[in-house]
Amino acid sequence: MWTLERDTQKVTIDQGELVSYTVNGHEFIHQKGSPGWGSADTEMFPIIGPVNDANFRVQVPKGSAVQDQHGLLRQFPYQRASVSTDSATYVKHYKAHTPIRNTKYPEKSTEAWLVWPYSFAFEKQFQLLETGLVISFHISGEHNMPFMLGYHPAFKLHTKKPLIKTPEQTISLEAVLAVGSRALQVPNCERITLEDQHKITITTSGFGHFMCWTEVPNMVC
């Protein structure tokens, strides 16, 4: 565990995973063990989405890659690269064609091992500023390596009628629940706000869309 603190803000990171973000003691992050999801945040890389209908194979210029839903990055751990009182950096290194054990096998997948035919380094950096928490991703890899990247944080809900707002629309929790596991797309958007007991706003750069997902009333991703 590593803790970042600044004024009334406090961040707790567990092996690269954001497990707590509090402001004046108010917890914004979904807690492991609560209904809904077994994680607090994760990354989707180098692919996003299910691949079971494609026999867990993804065709890339270097051939066929064996992948499971949302890619193989989440299947191996981060290494802590550097830390301070208000910042922390974690990294994952992958060598092309290295088999990675699939934790979804055999209950949810037929593939025991996942493989990607490109080498890459994936860096996740936390910076706690006066204005809030900044999370940045830096990817270096082989020339022309195709990839998709998604960031998947989960937020704790404290009220029964939270609202999700963008500059163009207001979305109810009921609307997200109604879509179920498919997730509700919020296209062409770089700023979104969760209005609950307290507000939290996500502003992005380099991500063109949001997706909203939950199947329980106590959290939303």
Side-chain angles (χ1 to χ4, degrees), residues 109-156:
S109 176
T110 59
E111 302 300 319
W113 301 92
L114 307 178
V115 176
W116 185 245
Y118 299 87
S119 297
F120 64 81
F122 188 100
E123 182 181 284
K124 182 180 185 180
Q125 183 181 62
F126 300 86
Q127 292 178 291
L128 194 53
L129 308 179
E130 290 183 5
T131 53
L133 176 63
V134 177
I135 301 175
S136 304
F137 302 102
H138 303 270
I139 301 166
S140 58
E142 297 181 32
H143 182 63
N144 290 332
M145 180 184 77
F147 69 86
M148 304 169 75
L149 170 61
Y151 178 49
H152 189 308
F155 297 95
K156 181 177 181 178

Short mmCIF file of all heavy atoms in Angstrom, two decimals, residues 109-156:
data_model
loop_
_atom_site.label_atom_id
_atom_site.label_comp_id
_atom_site.label_asym_id
_atom_site.label_seq_id
_atom_site.Cartn_x
_atom_site.Cartn_y
_atom_site.Cartn_z
N SER A 109 -13.64 -19.10 -19.03
CA SER A 109 -12.90 -19.06 -20.29
C SER A 109 -12.33 -20.43 -20.61
O SER A 109 -12.05 -21.23 -19.71
CB SER A 109 -11.76 -18.04 -20.19
OG SER A 109 -10.97 -18.05 -21.36
N THR A 110 -12.14 -20.69 -21.89
CA THR A 110 -11.52 -21.95 -22.31
C THR A 110 -10.01 -21.82 -22.46
O THR A 110 -9.33 -22.81 -22.73
CB THR A 110 -12.11 -22.40 -23.66
OG1 THR A 110 -11.87 -21.38 -24.64
CG2 THR A 110 -13.62 -22.63 -23.54
N GLU A 111 -9.48 -20.59 -22.30
CA GLU A 111 -8.06 -20.34 -22.52
C GLU A 111 -7.32 -20.18 -21.20
O GLU A 111 -7.59 -19.26 -20.43
CB GLU A 111 -7.85 -19.08 -23.37
CG GLU A 111 -8.53 -19.15 -24.73
CD GLU A 111 -8.02 -20.30 -25.57
OE1 GLU A 111 -6.81 -20.54 -25.57
OE2 GLU A 111 -8.86 -20.95 -26.24
N ALA A 112 -6.37 -21.07 -20.94
CA ALA A 112 -5.59 -21.01 -19.70
C ALA A 112 -4.48 -19.97 -19.78
O ALA A 112 -4.04 -19.44 -18.75
CB ALA A 112 -4.99 -22.37 -19.39
N TRP A 113 -4.01 -19.67 -20.98
CA TRP A 113 -2.89 -18.74 -21.16
C TRP A 113 -3.21 -17.72 -22.24
O TRP A 113 -3.83 -18.05 -23.25
CB TRP A 113 -1.61 -19.50 -21.55
CG TRP A 113 -1.19 -20.52 -20.53
CD1 TRP A 113 -1.54 -21.83 -20.49
CD2 TRP A 113 -0.37 -20.28 -19.39
NE1 TRP A 113 -0.99 -22.44 -19.40
CE2 TRP A 113 -0.26 -21.52 -18.69
CE3 TRP A 113 0.28 -19.16 -18.88
CZ2 TRP A 113 0.48 -21.64 -17.53
CZ3 TRP A 113 1.02 -19.29 -17.71
CH2 TRP A 113 1.11 -20.51 -17.05
N LEU A 114 -2.79 -16.48 -22.01
CA LEU A 114 -3.01 -15.39 -22.95
C LEU A 114 -1.66 -14.92 -23.51
O LEU A 114 -0.65 -14.92 -22.79
CB LEU A 114 -3.71 -14.22 -22.26
CG LEU A 114 -5.01 -14.57 -21.52
CD1 LEU A 114 -5.59 -13.34 -20.84
CD2 LEU A 114 -6.03 -15.21 -22.45
N VAL A 115 -1.66 -14.52 -24.79
CA VAL A 115 -0.41 -14.15 -25.46
C VAL A 115 -0.65 -12.95 -26.36
O VAL A 115 -1.68 -12.87 -27.05
CB VAL A 115 0.14 -15.33 -26.29
CG1 VAL A 115 1.38 -14.90 -27.06
CG2 VAL A 115 0.46 -16.52 -25.40
N TRP A 116 0.31 -12.03 -26.38
CA TRP A 116 0.28 -10.86 -27.26
C TRP A 116 1.59 -10.83 -28.03
O TRP A 116 2.66 -10.99 -27.43
CB TRP A 116 0.11 -9.60 -26.43
CG TRP A 116 -0.06 -8.31 -27.17
CD1 TRP A 116 0.80 -7.25 -27.18
CD2 TRP A 116 -1.16 -7.92 -28.00
NE1 TRP A 116 0.31 -6.22 -27.95
CE2 TRP A 116 -0.90 -6.61 -28.46
CE3 TRP A 116 -2.34 -8.55 -28.40
CZ2 TRP A 116 -1.78 -5.93 -29.31
CZ3 TRP A 116 -3.21 -7.88 -29.23
CH2 TRP A 116 -2.93 -6.58 -29.68
N PRO A 117 1.56 -10.66 -29.37
CA PRO A 117 2.79 -10.80 -30.17
C PRO A 117 3.64 -9.53 -30.24
O PRO A 117 4.46 -9.39 -31.15
CB PRO A 117 2.24 -11.18 -31.55
CG PRO A 117 0.91 -10.52 -31.61
CD PRO A 117 0.36 -10.57 -30.21
N TYR A 118 3.47 -8.60 -29.31
CA TYR A 118 4.25 -7.36 -29.28
C TYR A 118 4.78 -7.12 -27.86
O TYR A 118 4.09 -7.41 -26.88
CB TYR A 118 3.40 -6.15 -29.68
CG TYR A 118 2.82 -6.21 -31.06
CD1 TYR A 118 1.59 -6.82 -31.30
CD2 TYR A 118 3.47 -5.63 -32.15
CE1 TYR A 118 1.03 -6.87 -32.57
CE2 TYR A 118 2.92 -5.66 -33.43
CZ TYR A 118 1.70 -6.28 -33.62
OH TYR A 118 1.15 -6.32 -34.88
N SER A 119 5.96 -6.56 -27.77
CA SER A 119 6.50 -6.13 -26.49
C SER A 119 6.01 -4.71 -26.19
O SER A 119 5.84 -3.90 -27.11
CB SER A 119 8.03 -6.13 -26.50
OG SER A 119 8.54 -7.44 -26.71
N PHE A 120 5.78 -4.41 -24.89
CA PHE A 120 5.37 -3.06 -24.53
C PHE A 120 5.69 -2.78 -23.06
O PHE A 120 5.93 -3.70 -22.26
CB PHE A 120 3.86 -2.85 -24.77
CG PHE A 120 2.95 -3.70 -23.94
CD1 PHE A 120 2.63 -3.37 -22.63
CD2 PHE A 120 2.38 -4.86 -24.47
CE1 PHE A 120 1.77 -4.15 -21.87
CE2 PHE A 120 1.52 -5.65 -23.72
CZ PHE A 120 1.22 -5.30 -22.41
N ALA A 121 5.70 -1.51 -22.72
CA ALA A 121 5.77 -1.05 -21.34
C ALA A 121 4.56 -0.16 -21.10
O ALA A 121 4.21 0.69 -21.94
CB ALA A 121 7.06 -0.27 -21.08
N PHE A 122 3.90 -0.37 -19.96
CA PHE A 122 2.67 0.35 -19.63
C PHE A 122 2.86 1.02 -18.28
O PHE A 122 3.07 0.35 -17.27
CB PHE A 122 1.49 -0.62 -19.59
CG PHE A 122 0.14 0.03 -19.46
CD1 PHE A 122 -0.67 0.20 -20.57
CD2 PHE A 122 -0.32 0.46 -18.22
CE1 PHE A 122 -1.92 0.80 -20.46
CE2 PHE A 122 -1.57 1.06 -18.10
CZ PHE A 122 -2.37 1.23 -19.23
N GLU A 123 2.80 2.35 -18.27
CA GLU A 123 3.06 3.12 -17.05
C GLU A 123 1.79 3.83 -16.59
O GLU A 123 1.08 4.43 -17.39
CB GLU A 123 4.16 4.14 -17.32
CG GLU A 123 4.55 4.98 -16.11
CD GLU A 123 5.63 5.98 -16.44
OE1 GLU A 123 6.81 5.58 -16.57
OE2 GLU A 123 5.29 7.18 -16.60
N LYS A 124 1.53 3.75 -15.30
CA LYS A 124 0.38 4.42 -14.68
C LYS A 124 0.90 5.35 -13.59
O LYS A 124 1.59 4.92 -12.67
CB LYS A 124 -0.56 3.38 -14.08
CG LYS A 124 -1.84 3.94 -13.44
CD LYS A 124 -2.68 2.78 -12.90
CE LYS A 124 -4.02 3.24 -12.36
NZ LYS A 124 -4.82 2.10 -11.84
N GLN A 125 0.56 6.63 -13.72
CA GLN A 125 1.08 7.63 -12.79
C GLN A 125 -0.06 8.34 -12.06
O GLN A 125 -1.04 8.75 -12.68
CB GLN A 125 1.94 8.65 -13.53
CG GLN A 125 2.58 9.69 -12.61
CD GLN A 125 3.39 10.71 -13.38
OE1 GLN A 125 2.84 11.45 -14.20
NE2 GLN A 125 4.69 10.74 -13.13
N PHE A 126 0.09 8.47 -10.74
CA PHE A 126 -0.85 9.22 -9.91
C PHE A 126 -0.18 10.52 -9.47
O PHE A 126 0.95 10.49 -8.97
CB PHE A 126 -1.24 8.42 -8.66
CG PHE A 126 -1.89 7.10 -8.93
CD1 PHE A 126 -1.12 5.95 -9.16
CD2 PHE A 126 -3.27 6.97 -8.93
CE1 PHE A 126 -1.71 4.73 -9.39
CE2 PHE A 126 -3.87 5.74 -9.17
CZ PHE A 126 -3.10 4.62 -9.40
N GLN A 127 -0.90 11.64 -9.59
CA GLN A 127 -0.41 12.92 -9.10
C GLN A 127 -1.55 13.60 -8.33
O GLN A 127 -2.64 13.80 -8.89
CB GLN A 127 0.04 13.82 -10.24
CG GLN A 127 1.29 13.36 -10.96
CD GLN A 127 1.64 14.30 -12.11
OE1 GLN A 127 0.93 14.37 -13.12
NE2 GLN A 127 2.72 15.01 -11.95
N LEU A 128 -1.30 13.93 -7.09
CA LEU A 128 -2.32 14.59 -6.27
C LEU A 128 -2.03 16.09 -6.26
O LEU A 128 -1.04 16.55 -5.67
CB LEU A 128 -2.29 14.02 -4.85
CG LEU A 128 -3.49 14.34 -3.95
CD1 LEU A 128 -4.80 13.98 -4.63
CD2 LEU A 128 -3.37 13.62 -2.62
N LEU A 129 -2.89 16.85 -6.94
CA LEU A 129 -2.74 18.29 -7.06
C LEU A 129 -3.74 19.00 -6.15
O LEU A 129 -4.65 18.37 -5.60
CB LEU A 129 -2.96 18.73 -8.51
CG LEU A 129 -2.16 18.00 -9.60
CD1 LEU A 129 -2.53 18.54 -10.97
CD2 LEU A 129 -0.67 18.11 -9.34
N GLU A 130 -3.63 20.29 -6.03
CA GLU A 130 -4.58 21.07 -5.24
C GLU A 130 -5.99 20.93 -5.81
O GLU A 130 -6.98 20.95 -5.07
CB GLU A 130 -4.18 22.54 -5.20
CG GLU A 130 -2.94 22.83 -4.38
CD GLU A 130 -2.63 24.32 -4.32
OE1 GLU A 130 -3.46 25.11 -4.84
OE2 GLU A 130 -1.59 24.69 -3.76
N THR A 131 -6.08 20.78 -7.12
CA THR A 131 -7.38 20.73 -7.80
C THR A 131 -7.97 19.32 -7.88
O THR A 131 -9.10 19.16 -8.34
CB THR A 131 -7.25 21.29 -9.22
OG1 THR A 131 -6.16 20.61 -9.88
CG2 THR A 131 -6.95 22.77 -9.18
N GLY A 132 -7.21 18.29 -7.47
CA GLY A 132 -7.73 16.93 -7.53
C GLY A 132 -6.67 15.92 -7.91
O GLY A 132 -5.47 16.21 -7.90
N LEU A 133 -7.11 14.74 -8.25
CA LEU A 133 -6.23 13.62 -8.58
C LEU A 133 -6.10 13.49 -10.10
O LEU A 133 -7.10 13.45 -10.81
CB LEU A 133 -6.78 12.32 -8.00
CG LEU A 133 -6.03 11.03 -8.34
CD1 LEU A 133 -4.61 11.05 -7.80
CD2 LEU A 133 -6.80 9.82 -7.81
N VAL A 134 -4.86 13.43 -10.58
CA VAL A 134 -4.58 13.22 -12.00
C VAL A 134 -3.99 11.83 -12.18
O VAL A 134 -3.01 11.47 -11.52
CB VAL A 134 -3.61 14.28 -12.55
CG1 VAL A 134 -3.28 13.98 -14.02
CG2 VAL A 134 -4.19 15.68 -12.41
N ILE A 135 -4.58 11.03 -13.06
CA ILE A 135 -4.07 9.70 -13.40
C ILE A 135 -3.69 9.71 -14.87
O ILE A 135 -4.52 10.02 -15.73
CB ILE A 135 -5.11 8.60 -13.11
CG1 ILE A 135 -5.48 8.62 -11.63
CG2 ILE A 135 -4.56 7.23 -13.50
CD1 ILE A 135 -6.59 7.65 -11.26
N SER A 136 -2.43 9.39 -15.15
CA SER A 136 -1.92 9.43 -16.52
C SER A 136 -1.41 8.06 -16.93
O SER A 136 -0.88 7.32 -16.09
CB SER A 136 -0.78 10.45 -16.65
OG SER A 136 -1.19 11.73 -16.22
N PHE A 137 -1.53 7.75 -18.21
CA PHE A 137 -1.02 6.50 -18.76
C PHE A 137 -0.02 6.80 -19.86
O PHE A 137 -0.26 7.66 -20.71
CB PHE A 137 -2.17 5.65 -19.32
CG PHE A 137 -3.21 5.32 -18.30
CD1 PHE A 137 -4.42 6.00 -18.28
CD2 PHE A 137 -2.99 4.35 -17.34
CE1 PHE A 137 -5.39 5.72 -17.34
CE2 PHE A 137 -3.95 4.06 -16.39
CZ PHE A 137 -5.15 4.74 -16.39
N HIS A 138 1.10 6.10 -19.83
CA HIS A 138 2.13 6.25 -20.85
C HIS A 138 2.45 4.86 -21.40
O HIS A 138 2.82 3.96 -20.64
CB HIS A 138 3.39 6.89 -20.27
CG HIS A 138 3.14 8.22 -19.63
ND1 HIS A 138 3.22 9.41 -20.32
CD2 HIS A 138 2.79 8.55 -18.36
CE1 HIS A 138 2.94 10.42 -19.51
NE2 HIS A 138 2.67 9.93 -18.31
N ILE A 139 2.29 4.69 -22.71
CA ILE A 139 2.49 3.39 -23.35
C ILE A 139 3.64 3.50 -24.34
O ILE A 139 3.66 4.39 -25.19
CB ILE A 139 1.22 2.93 -24.09
CG1 ILE A 139 0.06 2.82 -23.10
CG2 ILE A 139 1.46 1.59 -24.78
CD1 ILE A 139 -1.29 2.69 -23.77
N SER A 140 4.59 2.60 -24.24
CA SER A 140 5.65 2.49 -25.24
C SER A 140 5.68 1.05 -25.73
O SER A 140 5.54 0.11 -24.95
CB SER A 140 7.01 2.89 -24.67
OG SER A 140 7.34 2.09 -23.54
N GLY A 141 5.81 0.89 -27.04
CA GLY A 141 5.78 -0.46 -27.60
C GLY A 141 6.42 -0.50 -28.96
O GLY A 141 7.01 0.47 -29.42
N GLU A 142 6.26 -1.64 -29.59
CA GLU A 142 6.84 -1.81 -30.92
C GLU A 142 6.14 -0.91 -31.94
O GLU A 142 4.96 -0.58 -31.79
CB GLU A 142 6.72 -3.27 -31.35
CG GLU A 142 7.50 -4.24 -30.46
CD GLU A 142 7.36 -5.67 -30.95
OE1 GLU A 142 7.25 -5.87 -32.18
OE2 GLU A 142 7.36 -6.59 -30.11
N HIS A 143 6.88 -0.55 -32.97
CA HIS A 143 6.33 0.28 -34.03
C HIS A 143 5.12 -0.39 -34.68
O HIS A 143 5.14 -1.59 -34.96
CB HIS A 143 7.41 0.53 -35.09
CG HIS A 143 6.97 1.42 -36.21
ND1 HIS A 143 6.61 2.74 -36.02
CD2 HIS A 143 6.80 1.17 -37.54
CE1 HIS A 143 6.25 3.27 -37.18
NE2 HIS A 143 6.37 2.35 -38.11
N ASN A 144 4.05 0.37 -34.85
CA ASN A 144 2.81 -0.10 -35.48
C ASN A 144 2.05 -1.13 -34.65
O ASN A 144 1.21 -1.87 -35.19
CB ASN A 144 3.07 -0.66 -36.87
CG ASN A 144 3.44 0.42 -37.87
OD1 ASN A 144 3.02 1.57 -37.70
ND2 ASN A 144 4.22 0.08 -38.89
N MET A 145 2.32 -1.21 -33.34
CA MET A 145 1.54 -2.11 -32.49
C MET A 145 0.11 -1.58 -32.36
O MET A 145 -0.10 -0.46 -31.91
CB MET A 145 2.16 -2.22 -31.09
CG MET A 145 1.37 -3.15 -30.17
SD MET A 145 2.02 -3.22 -28.47
CE MET A 145 1.41 -1.68 -27.79
N PRO A 146 -0.89 -2.35 -32.75
CA PRO A 146 -2.27 -1.90 -32.57
C PRO A 146 -2.68 -2.07 -31.11
O PRO A 146 -2.21 -2.99 -30.42
CB PRO A 146 -3.07 -2.84 -33.47
CG PRO A 146 -2.27 -4.11 -33.46
CD PRO A 146 -0.83 -3.70 -33.36
N PHE A 147 -3.54 -1.19 -30.61
CA PHE A 147 -4.03 -1.39 -29.25
C PHE A 147 -5.28 -0.55 -29.01
O PHE A 147 -5.53 0.44 -29.69
CB PHE A 147 -2.97 -1.06 -28.20
CG PHE A 147 -2.61 0.40 -28.09
CD1 PHE A 147 -3.34 1.26 -27.28
CD2 PHE A 147 -1.54 0.92 -28.80
CE1 PHE A 147 -3.01 2.60 -27.16
CE2 PHE A 147 -1.20 2.26 -28.70
CZ PHE A 147 -1.93 3.10 -27.88
N MET A 148 -6.03 -0.96 -28.01
CA MET A 148 -7.14 -0.18 -27.46
C MET A 148 -6.82 0.04 -25.98
O MET A 148 -6.16 -0.79 -25.36
CB MET A 148 -8.46 -0.94 -27.61
CG MET A 148 -8.79 -1.35 -29.03
SD MET A 148 -10.20 -2.50 -29.11
CE MET A 148 -11.56 -1.39 -28.80
N LEU A 149 -7.28 1.15 -25.44
CA LEU A 149 -7.03 1.47 -24.03
C LEU A 149 -8.30 2.00 -23.39
O LEU A 149 -8.92 2.94 -23.90
CB LEU A 149 -5.91 2.50 -23.89
CG LEU A 149 -5.70 3.08 -22.48
CD1 LEU A 149 -5.33 1.99 -21.48
CD2 LEU A 149 -4.64 4.18 -22.50
N GLY A 150 -8.67 1.41 -22.27
CA GLY A 150 -9.78 1.91 -21.48
C GLY A 150 -9.41 1.95 -20.02
O GLY A 150 -8.72 1.05 -19.53
N TYR A 151 -9.84 2.99 -19.32
CA TYR A 151 -9.65 3.07 -17.87
C TYR A 151 -10.99 2.85 -17.19
O TYR A 151 -11.99 3.44 -17.59
CB TYR A 151 -9.05 4.43 -17.48
CG TYR A 151 -8.88 4.59 -15.98
CD1 TYR A 151 -8.25 3.60 -15.23
CD2 TYR A 151 -9.34 5.73 -15.33
CE1 TYR A 151 -8.10 3.74 -13.86
CE2 TYR A 151 -9.19 5.87 -13.96
CZ TYR A 151 -8.57 4.89 -13.23
OH TYR A 151 -8.43 5.02 -11.87
N HIS A 152 -11.00 2.03 -16.14
CA HIS A 152 -12.24 1.51 -15.55
C HIS A 152 -12.24 1.73 -14.04
O HIS A 152 -11.96 0.82 -13.26
CB HIS A 152 -12.32 0.01 -15.88
CG HIS A 152 -13.62 -0.66 -15.55
ND1 HIS A 152 -14.21 -0.59 -14.32
CD2 HIS A 152 -14.42 -1.45 -16.29
CE1 HIS A 152 -15.32 -1.31 -14.31
NE2 HIS A 152 -15.47 -1.84 -15.51
N PRO A 153 -12.54 2.97 -13.58
CA PRO A 153 -12.68 3.20 -12.13
C PRO A 153 -14.12 2.97 -11.67
O PRO A 153 -15.07 3.14 -12.45
CB PRO A 153 -12.30 4.67 -11.99
CG PRO A 153 -12.73 5.29 -13.28
CD PRO A 153 -12.62 4.22 -14.34
N ALA A 154 -14.28 2.61 -10.41
CA ALA A 154 -15.60 2.36 -9.83
C ALA A 154 -15.83 3.31 -8.66
O ALA A 154 -14.96 3.48 -7.81
CB ALA A 154 -15.72 0.91 -9.37
N PHE A 155 -17.02 3.91 -8.62
CA PHE A 155 -17.32 4.93 -7.61
C PHE A 155 -18.42 4.45 -6.66
O PHE A 155 -19.42 3.88 -7.07
CB PHE A 155 -17.73 6.23 -8.29
CG PHE A 155 -16.64 6.82 -9.13
CD1 PHE A 155 -16.57 6.56 -10.49
CD2 PHE A 155 -15.65 7.59 -8.55
CE1 PHE A 155 -15.55 7.08 -11.26
CE2 PHE A 155 -14.62 8.11 -9.31
CZ PHE A 155 -14.56 7.85 -10.67
N LYS A 156 -18.18 4.72 -5.40
CA LYS A 156 -19.13 4.37 -4.35
C LYS A 156 -20.30 5.34 -4.37
O LYS A 156 -20.10 6.56 -4.48
CB LYS A 156 -18.44 4.41 -2.99
CG LYS A 156 -19.32 4.05 -1.80
CD LYS A 156 -18.51 4.05 -0.51
CE LYS A 156 -19.37 3.65 0.67
NZ LYS A 156 -18.57 3.60 1.93
#
